[in-house]
Amino acid sequence: MSATRLLLLCVAFICLSVLSDGAAVPPFLEQPDCHKYENNICLLHWAPVCGKNGQTYINECTLCMYIKKKKTPIFITKRDVC
């Protein structure tokens, strides 16, 4: 394969990756800092986080309480509504 064809193939692959709106790229995952909420009391201030499960939580604390209740890890995909 010539260098020109290889270069064109690489450019085409990059263009397709960008146009696929990131479907193949996993989202950035952040582990919630649940150690801050050991007292099991959450303030109900609005600071939404989106869990990897697609659920929006009021804030990181409510996500941590859900994790503790269900005994399953859930990562934060973004600090906003899902």
Side-chain angles (χ1 to χ4, degrees):
M1 184 177 287
S2 72
T4 305
R5 285 186 178 184
L6 184 59
L7 179 62
L8 287 174
L9 184 61
C10 289
V11 169
F13 178 73
I14 291 169
C15 289
L16 287 174
S17 295
V18 170
L19 293 176
S20 69
D21 65 336
V25 179
F28 173 76
L29 299 178
E30 177 187 348
Q31 187 166 1
D33 186 9
C34 294
H35 298 289
K36 297 190 293 188
Y37 312 108
E38 297 281 324
N39 61 4
N40 296 329
I41 298 172
C42 293
L43 300 176
L44 295 179
H45 68 281
W46 181 250
V49 294
C50 180
K52 189 170 185 306
N53 61 353
Q55 178 85 23
T56 299
Y57 298 88
I58 295 171
N59 52 40
E60 185 179 53
C61 182
T62 57
L63 169 60
C64 289
M65 294 304 113
Y66 185 83
I67 290 169
K68 187 175 181 178
K69 178 181 176 184
K70 296 293 183 177
K71 296 182 171 98
T72 184
I74 300 172
F75 292 94
I76 297 171
T77 57
K78 64 180 178 174
R79 292 193 171 268
D80 202 353
V81 296
C82 295

